[in-house]
């Protein structure tokens, strides 16, 4: 994924790493050769104007559930549901040049990247987003999202009601109509940030009104009991979603890459692992606890958090697959990152498949209309008040 974007810095860091490795069980020449092969495999991806990676776990629901319980999750229905999604989920990323047909390796570090991502759980994509030339596009298939994530019968009916609302919306709400139909729309994350803050204020006012016995009765009539709690939760989700949207601006990805390059350059070791399955295999290993602080700082650029104190004090490894000189895959067993007796019996490989950017296109979608927060709110109000209720 983002690891796939090569740069001169990454190449230099990898080369320095290999040359600095001490001889342990194989010759220095072999280590240099293996490291250079890995360096060139990453560089090969940069000869194209786009690169992509598909991320999934190679395990069934029972194996995923066993991993989650070993990681501290409760033995309940929510963990079983999370295991089902983990075992079925496929997350795809792609990065590309803002100058079409320009190879990634020819871009300077100051140039902006195009970015695209999509998520599915074994069927159609349920969520997708693109950042192209400083514009952000999103698409959501609500009915598929609810169905694939195991929504209840009531949830599925509510999704059908919301999607059906699209045909009744006036032409002035065309962008909201497109969003409900699962089409691409353009959004301004900052505008939705303002909307999320306003939603929180409205939710707070509703709660105060309910305590006085005033506004709450009207709200429950329109949206059902517990509406203010739902509004509050909705506004929080909007905040998280818009924060994630800002991470698609390309700059966060660059910061992550720089941190990842530093982590690999200072901690990674490489060795040959044979040829099978039509690919050359290379094992990359790192001391997890020592590498964790650098990796944690890299992940912060994407809004993710890693507590280094929770990382086991042991060496972890991953398998790199190289075909025709190009990096095509990476597999790492997530069980390595667990500790305790249960962790010894847990195996859940995380697999990354690298490609030329065909998995998801980084081109701007045709005909996408801008969805403004007020249009979305108007559509919701139209459904709640005008057609008898969402």
């Amino acid at each position: 994924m983002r690891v796939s974007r090569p740069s001169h810095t990454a190449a230099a860091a990898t080369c320095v790493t290999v040359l600095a490795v001490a001889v342990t069980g194989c010759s220095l020449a072999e280590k240099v050769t293996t490291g250079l092969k890995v360096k060139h495999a990453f560089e090969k991806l940069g000869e194209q104007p786009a690169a992509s990676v598909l991320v999934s776990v190679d395990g069934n629901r029972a194996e995923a559930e066993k991993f989650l319980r070993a990681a501290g999750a409760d033995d309940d229905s929510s963990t079983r549901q999370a295991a089902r999604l983990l075992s079925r989920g496929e997350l795809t990323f792609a990065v590309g040049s803002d100058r079409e047909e320009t190879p990634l390796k020819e871009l300077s570090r100051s140039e902006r990247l195009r970015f695209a991502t999509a998520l599915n759980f074994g069927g159609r994509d349920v969520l997708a987003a693109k950042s192209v030339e400083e514009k952000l596009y999103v698409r959501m298939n609500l009915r598929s999202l609810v169905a694939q994530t195991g929504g209840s019968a009531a949830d599925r009916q509510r999704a059908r009601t919301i999607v059906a609302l699209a045909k009744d919306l006036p032409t002035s709400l065309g962008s909201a109509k497109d969003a409900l139909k699962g089409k691409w729309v353009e959004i301004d994350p900052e505008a939705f940030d303002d909307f999320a803050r306003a939603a929180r204020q409205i939710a707070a006012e509703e709660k105060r009104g309910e305590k006085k016995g005033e506004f709450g009765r009207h709200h429950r009539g329109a949206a059902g009991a517990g509406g203010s709690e739902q509004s509050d939760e909705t506004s929080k989700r909007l905040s998280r979603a818009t924060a994630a949207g800002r991470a698609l601006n390309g700059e966060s990805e660059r910061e992550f890459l720089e941190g990842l390059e530093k982590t690999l350059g200072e901690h990674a070791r490489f060795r040959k692992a044979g040829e099978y399955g039509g690919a050359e295999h290379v094992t990359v290993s790192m001391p997890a606890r020592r590498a964790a602080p650098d990796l944690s700082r890299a992940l912060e650029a994407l809004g993710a958090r890693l507590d280094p104190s929770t990382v086991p004090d042991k060496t972890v490894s991953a398998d790199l697959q190289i075909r025709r000189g190009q990096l095509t895959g990476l597999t790492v067993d997530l069980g390595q990152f667990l500790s305790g007796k249960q962790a010894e019996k847990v195996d859940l490989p995380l697999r990354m498949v690298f490609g030329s950017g065909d998995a998801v296109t980084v081109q701007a979608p045709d005909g996408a209309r801008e969805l403004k927060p007020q249009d979305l709110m108007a559509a919701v109000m139209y459904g709640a008040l005008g057609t008898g209720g969402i």
Side-chain angles (χ1 to χ4, degrees):
M1 83 189 172
R2 303 181 180 89
V3 155
S4 65
R5 181 178 181 262
S7 68
H8 297 300
T9 303
T14 304
C15 190
V16 168
T17 298
V18 174
L19 293 174
V21 168
V23 179
T24 54
C26 61
S27 69
L28 178 60
E30 181 179 340
K31 286 182 176 291
V32 171
T33 301
T34 303
L36 288 173
K37 185 169 292 185
V38 172
K39 176 178 76 72
H40 292 317
F42 274 92
E43 287 183 335
K44 192 82 170 176
L45 286 169
E47 296 176 359
Q48 306 158 113
S52 63
V53 61
L54 187 151
V55 185
S56 63
V57 298
D58 187 11
N60 56 34
R61 184 172 64 177
E63 292 166 331
E65 185 178 345
K66 185 177 180 181
F67 168 80
L68 293 175
R69 288 203 307 270
D74 295 327
D75 185 9
D76 56 18
S77 60
S78 62
T79 298
R80 288 188 285 276
Q81 171 66 3
R84 189 179 74 86
L85 296 179
L86 183 60
S87 63
R88 295 178 58 189
E90 289 186 346
L91 182 62
T92 306
F93 295 97
V95 291
S97 167
D98 242 357
R99 291 187 285 145
E100 294 186 21
E101 305 307 320
T102 301
L104 288 168
K105 69 178 183 180
E106 294 182 11
L107 299 179
S108 69
R109 296 190 69 81
S110 62
E111 291 186 78
R112 187 182 181 90
L113 290 175
R114 294 184 176 189
F115 180 79
T117 184
L119 173 68
N120 74 75
F121 296 99
R124 298 174 60 186
D125 290 343
V126 296
L127 294 170
K130 294 185 180 188
S131 177
V132 183
E133 296 178 347
E134 300 188 16
K135 293 183 178 180
L136 179 61
Y137 304 92
V138 296
R139 181 179 66 186
M140 179 176 69
N141 187 322
L142 183 60
R143 291 182 62 178
S144 183
L145 175 64
V146 173
Q148 292 191 43
T149 55
S152 65
D155 291 334
R156 293 195 295 272
Q157 179 56 49
R158 189 175 296 111
R160 285 193 292 270
T161 300
I162 293 174
V163 172
L165 170 64
K167 69 178 186 298
D168 298 318
L169 292 178
T171 55
S172 59
L173 297 177
S175 60
K177 185 190 292 275
D178 287 347
L180 292 175
K181 287 182 175 180
K183 295 182 179 181
W184 285 104
V185 291
E186 178 188 344
I187 68 169
D188 178 356
E190 292 185 3
F192 274 83
D193 257 355
D194 295 336
F195 174 71
R197 283 192 290 270
R200 283 197 297 273
Q201 292 175 356
I202 292 172
E205 291 173 2
E206 289 179 7
K207 286 182 177 180
R208 287 195 294 270
E210 285 183 351
K211 289 180 180 179
K212 296 178 181 179
E214 298 169 356
F215 184 81
R217 285 192 296 273
H218 170 74
H219 182 75
R220 282 190 294 271
S228 65
E229 287 82 359
Q230 292 174 3
S231 296
D232 196 25
E233 180 60 26
T234 298
S235 68
K236 291 178 182 177
R237 289 177 180 176
L238 277 168
S239 280
R240 291 193 292 268
T242 52
R246 288 194 303 276
L248 299 179
N249 63 9
E251 188 58 35
S252 296
E253 282 69 37
R254 292 185 190 280
E255 293 176 13
F256 169 71
L257 281 172
E258 290 173 357
L260 187 61
E261 288 167 5
K262 178 182 178 182
T263 302
L264 291 174
E266 293 188 1
H267 304 286
R269 301 291 182 267
F270 305 94
R271 66 177 175 82
K272 287 184 177 181
E275 296 185 19
Y276 53 91
E280 296 179 74
H281 292 255
V282 173
T283 298
V284 55
S285 58
M286 288 192 297
R289 181 68 61 83
R290 268 193 287 155
D294 287 333
L295 183 58
S296 177
R297 283 187 286 271
L299 290 171
E300 284 178 2
L302 302 179
R305 286 174 175 78
L306 171 68
D307 182 357
S309 66
T310 64
V311 176
D313 188 11
K314 60 183 180 181
T315 298
V316 296
S317 61
D319 176 65
L320 301 181
Q321 297 103 54
I322 301 172
R323 287 182 172 85
R324 299 184 181 88
Q326 179 176 305
L327 179 69
T328 56
L330 183 154
T331 304
V332 57
D333 181 10
L334 297 177
Q336 299 176 97
F337 298 93
L338 301 177
S339 56
K341 292 183 178 180
Q342 282 187 311
E344 297 175 2
K345 302 177 182 179
V346 173
D347 295 298
L348 189 66
L350 177 72
R351 179 172 294 172
M352 300 182 186
V353 179
F354 297 90
S356 61
D358 297 331
V360 287
T361 173
V362 292
Q363 303 301 315
D366 293 330
R369 292 189 272 195
E370 182 179 4
L371 176 64
K372 297 180 179 179
Q374 56 267 35
D375 293 339
L376 187 58
M377 178 61 79
V380 171
M381 294 300 294
Y382 190 91
L385 303 178
T387 64
I390 293 176

